[in-house]
Amino acid sequence: MSRRITIGIAALAALGCAAGAFYWLHARGAQPVPEVAVPEPPGFREAPPAEKSPSAAVAVPASIADPKKAPAPADGGLPLRAGEVLEYTANVANLSNVANLRLQVASRGNFAGRIAWHLQAFAHTENPLRMVFELDDQFDSYSDAATMASLQYEMHLSERGQKVESVQRMTTTGKEPAPPDATATQVVPGTRDPLGMMQYLRNVDWTKTPEVRGPVYDGHKLYDARAKLTGTSAEVAVPAGNFKASKIAIRVFENGVEMKDASFTLYLANNAARTPVLLEAILPFATARVELSKVK
């Protein structure tokens, strides 16, 4: 299996996390990088500020948002709970269990005076692939609790002994300084990172809003993601069990042009948690399935 396939499957559950990893690893080359992951910011687990009305969602500029469709904001009723752990197995083409993936809701707290979720994703290759391509990646997101807009996105990557540490503090004006251990990254209002986007899609009321769209930043590039409900009673069989699920088709655009060779289908269980049970991906180099194996 090629390096690109391996990097791709590590990203699927996070809807593009490792696409950013791929760009970073090749852009940085052999330059030395730190090996210590950045901990949660001081005071994050202290009492968060007072709740704000969820109706005050950040608007997405007309250049990205459909002016005829108001973006559906996330709200205080997010089906998230601190400590949730979802484990997945990734299958590529005819190869099964080439990697294991874990999505985790680490905690909810105070991030720079805003209520935020700390979201995490971990990806590891499995044997026998691991013997030729050792991959251990971690992604961290601090996302606004009301809108899931990205406040900070981190990539802690270790692939074949090559390590990269990237901590990017989001700014919509370019005027807010980043802390010493982070880089300021200017994005359009309402931008989500891949982890925040995954959780945001769980919160959409698909019976009332059959299609949503918005900007997604993968750590390297800004994309326009468009998600549309295509079914409400799909039968899904994965290692964690059998589920009835809503089927969401996700298309990705770059500079207004659809990426024809990359698309995703997300299946959300029709339960109170709206658990992501399956992600199917068509990528330039392979097709893949990321299947839920365990819920903790």
Side-chain angles (χ1 to χ4, degrees), residues 5 11 27-28 38 42 45-46 50 52-53 58 80 86 88 115 121-123 140 160 169 192 230 235 247:
I5 292 178
R28 298 291 291 268
V38 178
R45 292 181 182 260
E46 296 176 0
K52 296 181 180 180
S53 171
V58 179
L80 301 184
L86 305 176
Y88 297 84
I115 306 171
F122 304 85
D140 288 74
R160 279 183 170 174
R169 178 68 62 91
R192 300 178 178 93
T230 59
E235 299 285 346
K247 183 179 179 181

Side-chain angles (χ1 to χ4, degrees), residues 2-23:
S2 73
R3 174 182 177 80
R4 291 192 67 197
I5 292 178
T6 316
I7 293 173
I9 55 92
L12 295 176
L15 291 176
C17 282
F22 177 84
Y23 285 117

Side-chain angles (χ1 to χ4, degrees), residues 38 167 169 177-184:
V38 178
V167 178
R169 178 68 62 91
D181 56 358
T183 300

Side-chain angles (χ1 to χ4, degrees), residues 21-154:
F22 177 84
Y23 285 117
W24 267 87
L25 285 169
H26 288 267
R28 298 291 291 268
Q31 298 177 26
V33 292
E35 297 185 9
V36 179
V38 178
E40 287 182 338
F44 181 77
R45 292 181 182 260
E46 296 176 0
E51 296 276 4
K52 296 181 180 180
S53 171
S55 61
V58 179
V60 179
S63 60
I64 291 182
D66 186 343
K68 297 180 182 179
K69 299 177 187 286
D75 61 32
L78 278 167
L80 301 184
R81 55 187 176 84
E84 178 190 69
V85 178
L86 305 176
E87 296 184 357
Y88 297 84
T89 182
N91 309 313
V92 176
N94 295 323
L95 300 176
S96 299
N97 194 31
V98 296
N100 70 78
L101 308 160
R102 186 167 86 249
L103 296 181
Q104 180 171 304
V105 181
S107 57
R108 187 171 183 268
N110 179 1
F111 190 94
R114 297 169 67 173
I115 306 171
W117 287 103
H118 178 196
L119 312 171
Q120 294 180 302
F122 304 85
H124 306 276
T125 45
E126 295 277 10
N127 285 328
L129 176 62
R130 187 171 182 82
M131 291 187 291
V132 296
F133 194 103
E134 182 180 284
L135 179 149
D136 298 288
D137 288 348
Q138 174 180 336
F139 306 88
D140 288 74
S141 165
Y142 294 90
S143 296
D144 182 86
T147 65
M148 300 309 293
S150 183
L151 305 177
Q152 183 163 292
Y153 185 53
E154 306 176 10

